[in-house]
Amino acid sequence: MNFTNLRTFIDVLRTERDVAVITAPVDPYLEIAEIHRRVIEEGGPALLFTNVKGSPFPVATNLFGTSRRVDLAFGPKPEAIMNRLMKAKDTLIPPTPKALWNEKDLLFDLMKVGMKTLPHSQAPVLEVCDRNDPLSKLPALTSWQEDGGPFVTLPLVYTEHPDGNDHNLGMYRMQIFDGSTTGMHWQIHKGGGFHYHEAEKRNRPLPVTVYLGGPPALIASAIAPAPEHLPELLLTSLILGQKLPMADNPLGGHRLVAEAEFAICGEVAPHVRRPEGPFGDHYGYYSLQHDFPVFQVKHMFHRKDAIYPATIVGKPRQEDYYLGEFLQRLLSPAFPLVMPGVKQLWTYAETGFHPLAAAIVRESYSREALGSAFRILGEGQLSLTKFLILTDESVDLADFRSLLTTVLERFDPHTDLFIFNNTSHDTLDYTGLRLNHGSKAVLLGVGEPMRELPHTYEEGQMDGINDAKPYCAGCLVVSGAAYEEDPGLAERIVDRYGDKLSRWPLVVLADDTAIVDGQTPFLWTVFTRFNPATDIFAKSRVQKHHLSFELPIVIDARMKPGYPDELIPREDIVKLVSDRWKEYFS
């Protein structure tokens, strides 16, 4: 089924009994977010709040909070087309009459990709135009008590290059300052930020249109880790399986997505910044206040009965996990096309995506894997990957225990660990020494196994270590004093117990060994709490300008001074929601 707008998807969820309609009055300040978090943790339904304080618009959340709903939203056809397209490149180049005939069904599907323009009367988004502080009517959510204010959390931000060469559709959080002004959180790797940079060089404002709602495919395309020059509106059309309906803006400017719930139109002035944040983000911590560009709203179009879509982010797993899972499946067949030698690629939602990626690569000659690593780290948003793991073995990358075991069996510490300091970091990653700056590491595990890995800890007591548990074969998690009490503990483990622990290629120093109980707590804790250049320890020596390491490699993944606070709900809101729970779902 193709969903051309948000409401038809919600209607199907109603018939499937997979949406809960909450008619009780609810507050967009903290209360809706707490309800949402409990429901998604239980694998519960989508939520439609019809009585939101301070706004005439209902709020929809958790629309994509299970794998089942994501599959329902997009169906199997987009993945099938993408797989066929990648296979057809070998048969259609060069094109022959026979090859074209054999792929006629695929070519017919591709003829549907694109945009079509509708008259104003057939564009529901144009039903109402609000020029009077329109943002003041939106039920924008405040998700966490330390947030700088209410945020639009599911905005689809559309921009065009000042020269008209291309467009970008991205999802960048927007803090609402007043009825006509928001922040625009363009991070260093965002396509919209590139357009703004070009506009600033010309000392010109950048026109911006922000969509809320529309086809589910539009939301997916905005967050897709697509190759840099793949137009997101065309990806939307591909997922949708038909041309994307558009309409001319009667007030001038960008064409509008006809089936969107809202279209907020304005511009971002050059060289203007304003403090934005804090915000409880998808890393599971607060990103701190920093200066960002400012979006000035001129007018807002919306449907007469518009539904306001929102999402809540925080500690994994949240709604973005399930969308990310689908998008990686959809786009993974294209990675070998843009990055030859890369067979499969996976980024881990459990870490917030950028802190950790892994790939299966070709190793047809010695060290080819390293070339693939550089290719990955030079590709769009993947350039912000903090820790990259590569193998040439066929392994399920989503199963991190299996991947790590495979790599640690093959990893040669003298040649296969590379740490690069003074590199860029994701804006939301505060483990580096300053904003947007940090380091990267590449870990290779290719070829035949070179060691048998231990499965149980038998090395006995170590001073300063109060617990030790294996996460998987070859990876040991230990705990001791907090970093503030003993910042040198990781280094002492290497100095005093390196020989004793040499059977374990990887040792992780954490605040609590309970993280070994699951993939999500392990990945979230470890990879959001260390910077490779400052928090990896091992005995090493320089050999011909290369750092050669000895086992074990110790990662200090304890919380450290300067890291933002972990996201924890406010106690009185937790109690309020508990007390009202039956009222919500009566």
Side-chain angles (χ1 to χ4, degrees):
M1 182 180 296
N2 294 334
F3 296 108
T4 59
N5 56 49
L6 196 67
R7 57 201 48 232
T8 55
F9 179 51
I10 293 174
D11 287 344
V12 169
L13 293 180
R14 286 177 188 261
T15 63
E16 301 258 338
R17 298 181 180 273
D18 202 12
V19 61
V21 180
I22 297 176
T23 59
V26 290
D27 198 327
Y29 178 76
L30 301 182
E31 185 179 9
I32 287 179
E34 177 61 19
I35 297 168
H36 169 106
R37 286 191 290 267
R38 295 192 191 190
V39 170
I40 197 169
E41 186 175 0
E42 296 170 359
L47 300 170
L48 183 64
F49 301 91
T50 61
N51 188 357
V52 182
K53 294 179 183 178
S55 177
F57 302 112
V59 173
T61 76
N62 200 29
L63 294 170
F64 308 104
T66 64
S67 296
R68 178 189 175 277
R69 285 201 292 278
V70 170
D71 290 341
L72 179 64
F74 307 115
K77 191 166 185 179
E79 289 183 65
I81 291 176
M82 184 65 79
N83 282 310
R84 286 181 60 200
L85 187 61
M86 292 305 104
K87 292 177 182 177
K89 69 178 173 41
D90 297 323
T91 59
L92 291 177
I93 300 175
T96 64
K98 181 180 180 181
L100 291 171
W101 178 255
N102 289 338
E103 298 293 348
K104 61 183 182 298
D105 292 341
L106 173 63
L107 295 173
F108 181 74
D109 285 332
L110 293 179
M111 288 174 62
K112 301 176 185 177
V113 173
M115 288 163 274
K116 62 181 180 180
T117 301
L118 302 181
H120 292 167
S121 60
Q122 295 179 28
V125 73
L126 294 175
E127 289 174 341
V128 177
C129 181
D130 188 347
R131 304 193 201 193
N132 183 26
D133 287 339
L135 302 180
S136 63
K137 288 92 165 176
L138 295 179
L141 306 185
T142 303
S143 303
W144 301 95
Q145 59 271 19
E146 301 288 331
D147 284 359
F151 282 80
V152 182
T153 55
L154 212 57
L156 312 176
V157 181
Y158 178 85
T159 59
E160 295 178 355
H161 193 283
D163 293 337
N165 297 330
D166 57 23
H167 72 255
N168 178 260
L169 185 74
M171 188 174 293
Y172 319 118
R173 75 188 194 214
M174 297 165 51
Q175 181 178 346
I176 294 182
F177 297 136
D178 54 46
S180 60
T181 312
T182 79
M184 185 59 73
H185 194 87
W186 276 323
Q187 299 172 25
I188 58 176
H189 57 292
K190 300 297 187 181
F194 294 149
H195 291 169
Y196 179 60
H197 175 69
E198 291 298 321
E200 270 196 323
K201 288 198 301 186
R202 296 160 172 77
N203 201 31
R204 288 162 45 186
L206 182 69
V208 174
T209 301
V210 177
Y211 300 111
L212 302 176
L218 193 71
I219 297 172
S221 298
I223 62 174
E228 191 169 318
H229 297 292
L230 176 63
E232 284 83 3
L233 293 187
L234 293 184
L235 180 59
T236 300
S237 175
L238 175 68
I239 299 173
L240 194 59
Q242 64 186 59
K243 293 187 183 297
L244 179 66
M246 306 290 290
D248 291 330
N249 185 336
L251 300 178
H254 301 144
R255 284 195 302 167
L256 305 178
V257 175
E259 292 281 356
E261 300 293 313
F262 298 84
I264 306 169
C265 306
E267 63 184 25
V268 178
H271 313 297
V272 176
R273 302 291 187 272
R274 181 169 173 176
E276 183 262 10
F279 178 73
D281 64 45
H282 64 279
Y283 275 33
Y285 309 91
Y286 287 101
S287 57
L288 305 179
Q289 186 180 86
H290 302 287
D291 288 345
F292 277 90
V294 178
F295 177 46
Q296 187 67 46
V297 177
K298 294 182 176 180
H299 52 269
M300 179 174 78
F301 293 104
H302 64 83
R303 292 172 178 258
K304 286 186 292 189
D305 57 348
I307 299 169
Y308 179 87
T311 191
I312 312 298
V313 292
K315 294 180 189 176
R317 299 179 176 180
Q318 299 294 334
E319 198 170 355
D320 58 345
Y321 174 90
Y322 301 98
L323 277 171
E325 192 177 51
F326 162 74
L327 289 166
Q328 293 196 82
R329 291 199 316 264
L330 175 66
L331 294 172
S332 60
F335 286 129
L337 185 63
V338 296
M339 295 182 288
V342 178
K343 297 179 180 179
Q344 293 182 37
L345 179 71
W346 193 258
T347 61
Y348 292 83
E350 297 95 334
T351 71
F353 295 105
H354 289 313
L356 177 64
I360 299 173
V361 297
R362 186 178 62 206
E363 180 79 348
S364 56
Y365 59 87
S366 179
R367 314 307 284 172
E368 183 182 9
L370 187 57
S372 295
F374 293 142
R375 187 65 183 263
I376 293 168
L377 294 177
E379 183 64 38
Q381 295 188 32
L382 290 169
S383 65
L384 293 181
T385 300
K386 182 168 69 175
F387 201 95
L388 176 62
I389 301 176
L390 301 180
T391 185
D392 61 343
E393 294 296 303
S394 180
V395 62
D396 180 4
L397 295 178
D399 181 354
F400 188 76
R401 272 193 173 98
S402 177
L403 167 70
L404 188 57
T405 299
T406 299
V407 169
L408 294 180
E409 286 176 332
R410 293 161 173 80
F411 158 63
D412 184 344
H414 301 132
T415 59
D416 292 345
L417 175 61
F418 299 85
I419 299 173
F420 306 100
N421 203 359
N422 303 311
T423 67
S424 58
H425 255 196
D426 181 31
T427 301
L428 304 181
D429 191 329
Y430 286 87
T431 60
L433 299 181
R434 60 191 177 107
L435 186 69
N436 294 331
H437 292 74
S439 60
K440 303 183 185 305
V442 174
L443 180 67
L444 306 180
V446 299
E448 296 300 317
M450 61 184 301
R451 67 179 62 84
E452 289 189 15
L453 300 175
H455 292 75
T456 57
Y457 180 70
E458 300 172 350
E459 281 74 12
Q461 183 66 35
M462 294 180 285
D463 291 339
I465 300 300
N466 53 37
D467 198 11
K469 294 179 181 177
Y471 169 67
C472 65
C475 177
L476 182 70
V477 177
V478 300
S479 64
Y483 183 90
E484 289 184 317
E485 297 172 18
D486 191 355
L489 179 55
E491 198 165 7
R492 282 206 317 280
I493 291 173
V494 171
D495 292 340
R496 294 186 184 179
Y497 302 109
D499 293 340
K500 184 176 181 178
L501 294 172
S502 60
R503 292 194 313 137
W504 297 89
L506 183 62
V507 176
V508 174
L509 174 59
D511 291 307
D512 189 344
T513 58
I515 65 172
V516 304
D517 293 340
Q519 177 165 308
T520 295
F522 179 83
L523 291 182
W524 177 69
T525 301
V526 174
F527 290 93
T528 64
R529 296 185 182 181
F530 87 94
N531 174 45
T534 53
D535 296 318
I536 291 179
F537 298 89
K539 293 178 181 177
S540 64
R541 63 186 183 277
V542 177
Q543 291 184 312
K544 297 179 180 178
H545 304 285
H546 171 75
L547 270 182
S548 173
F549 298 98
E550 300 292 336
L551 298 182
I553 307 297
V554 177
I555 292 176
D556 189 344
R558 296 175 293 174
M559 283 291 283
K560 301 176 182 72
Y563 286 8
D565 290 339
E566 184 180 328
L567 298 177
I568 299 173
R570 207 171 78 184
E571 289 184 6
D572 61 320
I573 298 298
V574 172
K575 183 178 185 305
L576 170 72
V577 170
S578 295
D579 292 344
R580 297 192 64 195
W581 196 255
K582 291 183 179 179
E583 183 184 352
Y584 303 139
F585 297 101
S586 60

